Amino acid sequence: MGLITGLFAFFYQLPQIYTWLLKPYYVLSFLMSAAFLMVRKAPGLCEHLATQREDGDSCNFDWREVEILMFLSAIVMMKNRRAITIEQHIGNLFLFSKVANVILFFRVDLRLGILYSILCIVFLMTCKPPLYIGPEYIKYFSDKTIDEELQRDSRVTWIVEFYANWSPECQSFAPVFAELSLKYNCAGLRFGKIDAGRYGDVSQRYLVSTSPLSKQLPSLVLFQGGREIIRRPMVDSVHRAVSWTFNEENIIREFNLNELFEKSKKLSKGRSNKGDEQTPPQPLEGSDGPQLETISPELPTESKKDQ
């Protein structure tokens, strides 16, 4: 039954998957990843390639190339064990396929290896993965607004993501963080983001390293009254991030989102009751005014356009 449900869900989302995969970044990534396969199998071209096969058939993989491809499959499977989104799965596949292609082309012909390496560099510099664009209740900070917003109301808890647009991990985490904001955003629990790669002074002030070697991007920090309470991933004594998986279950557990959300709903009700005391009583009973006031803080007040 679960398999049938999964198949129905896949076919239901198939138009969206096609739209997503047909973006230029993924189309070019697929062509780059399959470049050696296409060259090795191309009629009229494969006959001129070097091979270590005993039968001399240069249009099929030799034993060393099969070994490299099997090793590639094992590496991709190991990396995808920690992947949490389909973008990460496909990104790992594309990345290690390109690495394998570089090795394979250099084995066949030095000139092909140099040409493919140049193409990879040009692709990396000119073609960026598409950014997440979808529903979210997230406030985008700048270097001039983050301190003021975090300290504005001590009763409001903020969960802030420090990210960089060039980081594949941040791009893969974007839909997860957006989904959490849709579920838990309310008057006393808010979600924010700041581009640490763009605002270097902010990343230094909040001790978030933007170096790829530190592996601190993305970083999630929970603030209460402007003070940092918890941070993931944690940072060791040499300023290296401790390995941590950014999935929805880990974030809910480590940041106690369910408990925070219940307290935040009480804050919303308290604000509603305070507003009722300040207004004269209404002659009609059963008015839904307080309910509307309670729901209104959960409506999205900021978007990416406010950045």
Side-chain angles (χ1 to χ4, degrees):
M1 186 63 184
L3 179 60
I4 296 176
T5 304
L7 289 175
F8 274 114
F10 173 79
F11 285 114
Y12 178 78
Q13 299 291 337
L14 199 56
Q16 298 180 6
I17 295 175
Y18 276 134
T19 303
W20 174 65
L21 289 177
L22 289 178
K23 292 182 179 179
Y25 172 82
Y26 293 107
V27 173
L28 293 176
S29 294
F30 174 79
L31 294 177
M32 293 286 292
S33 300
F36 184 80
L37 174 63
M38 292 186 293
V39 170
R40 178 60 87 180
K41 296 293 184 179
L45 179 61
C46 62
E47 291 84 359
H48 304 284
L49 300 178
T51 182
Q52 295 182 2
R53 291 176 62 94
E54 295 180 357
D55 58 3
D57 184 6
S58 60
C59 292
N60 286 308
F61 297 118
D62 59 36
W63 67 273
R64 180 64 69 181
E65 293 168 349
V66 173
E67 195 175 62
I68 293 174
L69 293 175
M70 291 180 64
F71 181 72
L72 164 68
S73 302
I75 293 295
V76 171
M77 290 177 63
M78 292 177 59
K79 294 294 293 185
N80 280 344
R81 290 176 59 186
R82 300 187 59 186
I84 57 177
T85 63
I86 188 172
E87 291 89 349
Q88 283 182 299
H89 285 279
I90 296 179
N92 289 333
L93 178 60
F94 286 157
L95 173 62
F96 291 101
S97 296
K98 293 170 187 174
V99 174
N101 276 317
V102 171
I103 300 173
L104 293 170
F105 275 119
F106 270 108
R107 283 190 70 254
V108 171
D109 192 314
L110 178 63
R111 294 168 297 179
L112 290 178
I114 294 175
L115 176 61
Y116 184 81
S117 300
I118 293 175
L119 290 177
C120 287
I121 295 173
V122 172
F123 174 81
L124 184 65
M125 296 177 61
T126 59
C127 195
K128 302 297 182 182
L131 299 177
Y132 170 79
I133 299 177
E136 58 185 22
Y137 292 166
I138 296 175
K139 171 71 175 180
Y140 283 78
F141 298 123
S142 68
D143 55 343
K144 299 179 181 179
T145 61
I146 181 170
D147 296 330
E148 178 184 356
E149 288 290 340
L150 294 180
Q151 300 174 8
R152 184 188 301 273
D153 191 342
S154 60
R155 296 172 298 177
V156 177
T157 300
W158 282 93
I159 298 179
V160 180
E161 177 195 353
F162 292 81
Y163 73 101
N165 286 327
W166 51 260
S167 170
E169 290 79 10
C170 295
Q171 294 167 1
S172 300
F173 180 62
V176 178
F177 194 61
E179 182 67 21
L180 289 172
S181 71
L182 294 174
K183 291 181 179 179
Y184 292 98
N185 180 80
C186 60
L189 180 59
R190 307 295 302 279
F191 291 78
K193 296 179 72 170
I194 183 163
D195 190 344
R198 178 181 180 184
Y199 303 110
D201 56 336
V202 174
S203 61
Q204 293 179 4
R205 190 161 68 247
Y206 288 95
L207 304 178
V208 177
S209 174
T210 57
S211 171
L213 299 178
S214 68
K215 297 183 179 181
Q216 291 188 37
L217 294 176
S219 282
L220 281 185
V221 185
L222 186 144
F223 294 95
Q224 288 181 345
R227 296 186 302 108
E228 178 182 331
I229 304 300
I230 185 174
R231 172 191 296 240
R232 291 294 183 272
M234 295 185 293
V235 181
D236 57 21
S237 58
V238 294
H239 306 291
R240 290 291 301 271
V242 178
S243 179
W244 194 72
T245 303
F246 279 88
N247 57 34
E248 187 171 333
E249 293 77 11
N250 284 350
I251 295 170
I252 293 174
R253 181 180 64 253
E254 294 290 328
F255 288 85
N256 293 323
L257 287 187
N258 292 321
E259 181 180 350
L260 286 174
F261 184 64
E262 292 299 325
K263 292 181 179 179
S264 301
K265 289 196 297 185
K266 294 179 181 180
L267 174 61
S268 300
K269 293 180 180 179
R271 290 180 175 179
S272 299
N273 294 335
K274 184 177 179 180
D276 293 341
E277 293 176 0
Q278 296 175 353
T279 57
Q282 300 295 327
L284 297 178
E285 297 182 357
S287 173
D288 57 353
Q291 286 81 356
L292 292 176
E293 188 175 353
T294 303
I295 296 174
S296 60
E298 299 184 4
L299 296 177
T301 57
E302 294 91 8
S303 66
K304 293 183 179 180
K305 295 181 181 179
D306 299 327
Q307 187 175 1

